Amino acid sequence: MIEGISAVTLGTHEMPRSVGFYRALGFEVLHGGEESSFTSFRSGTSYLNLIAQPAERRWSWWGRVIFYVADVDALYDRALAAGYQPTTEPRDAEWVSASFILLIPTATNLVSLDLCCRFPSNSKSTWPAIP
């Protein structure tokens, strides 16, 4: 039975810029860094990895990564303070969370981050709480 996601690995053409982006949001670098070809960040009990790809390597839109955070409003303010422009403001969503979307700043913006916080179990939401 699947218990969870251990790690997500994303390709990047711009490791220094990508590492700066995740550091600005508060991700902790466990391995690698701006000059490395592979960087691993802690994401709760899981990991977010970046792997450098050559400039000639092209891909189409990849998708979306969703992270739960303790305080979506505080992280939104942190992203703004770091100079990033989220595509949405924090808002309550029907799927038992409040969220905002932030495009990963690359030349192609192929991946978006959905940064969410869970509604408390005593929330007025009619959706079931996420365990």
Side-chain angles (χ1 to χ4, degrees), residues 12 14 17-18 20-22 84 102-109 111:
T12 182
E14 304 174 57
R17 187 174 179 194
S18 295
F21 172 75
Y22 290 104
Y84 298 109
L102 184 62
L103 292 178
I104 296 173
T106 64
T108 53
N109 288 328
V111 180

Side-chain angles (χ1 to χ4, degrees), residues 3-127:
E3 295 180 10
I5 293 175
S6 173
V8 173
T9 301
L10 304 174
T12 182
H13 294 127
E14 304 174 57
M15 185 65 77
R17 187 174 179 194
S18 295
V19 169
F21 172 75
Y22 290 104
R23 279 190 168 151
L25 294 179
F27 283 79
E28 174 190 358
V29 174
L30 298 177
H31 171 80
E34 287 86 349
E35 302 306 317
S36 180
S37 62
F38 184 86
T39 299
S40 186
F41 300 90
R42 183 181 316 279
S43 174
T45 59
S46 302
Y47 303 91
L48 172 67
N49 303 315
L50 301 175
I51 188 164
Q53 296 295 297
E56 63 273 5
R57 173 84 188 251
R58 295 290 170 209
W59 46 77
S60 62
W61 184 78
W62 180 81
R64 179 179 197 167
V65 178
I66 300 171
F67 290 99
Y68 279 113
V69 298
D71 185 336
V72 74
D73 295 308
L75 189 57
Y76 178 83
D77 291 341
R78 184 176 184 155
L80 291 176
Y84 298 109
Q85 294 299 313
T87 60
T88 63
E89 293 183 358
R91 63 180 176 78
D92 290 349
E94 296 173 352
W95 49 88
V96 196
S97 65
S99 68
F100 70 94
I101 296 173
L102 184 62
L103 292 178
I104 296 173
T106 64
T108 53
N109 288 328
L110 298 173
V111 180
S112 64
L113 296 181
D114 197 344
L115 299 145
C116 305
C117 65
R118 297 176 180 165
F119 287 149
S121 58
N122 63 354
S123 169
K124 294 179 183 176
S125 171
T126 58
W127 288 77

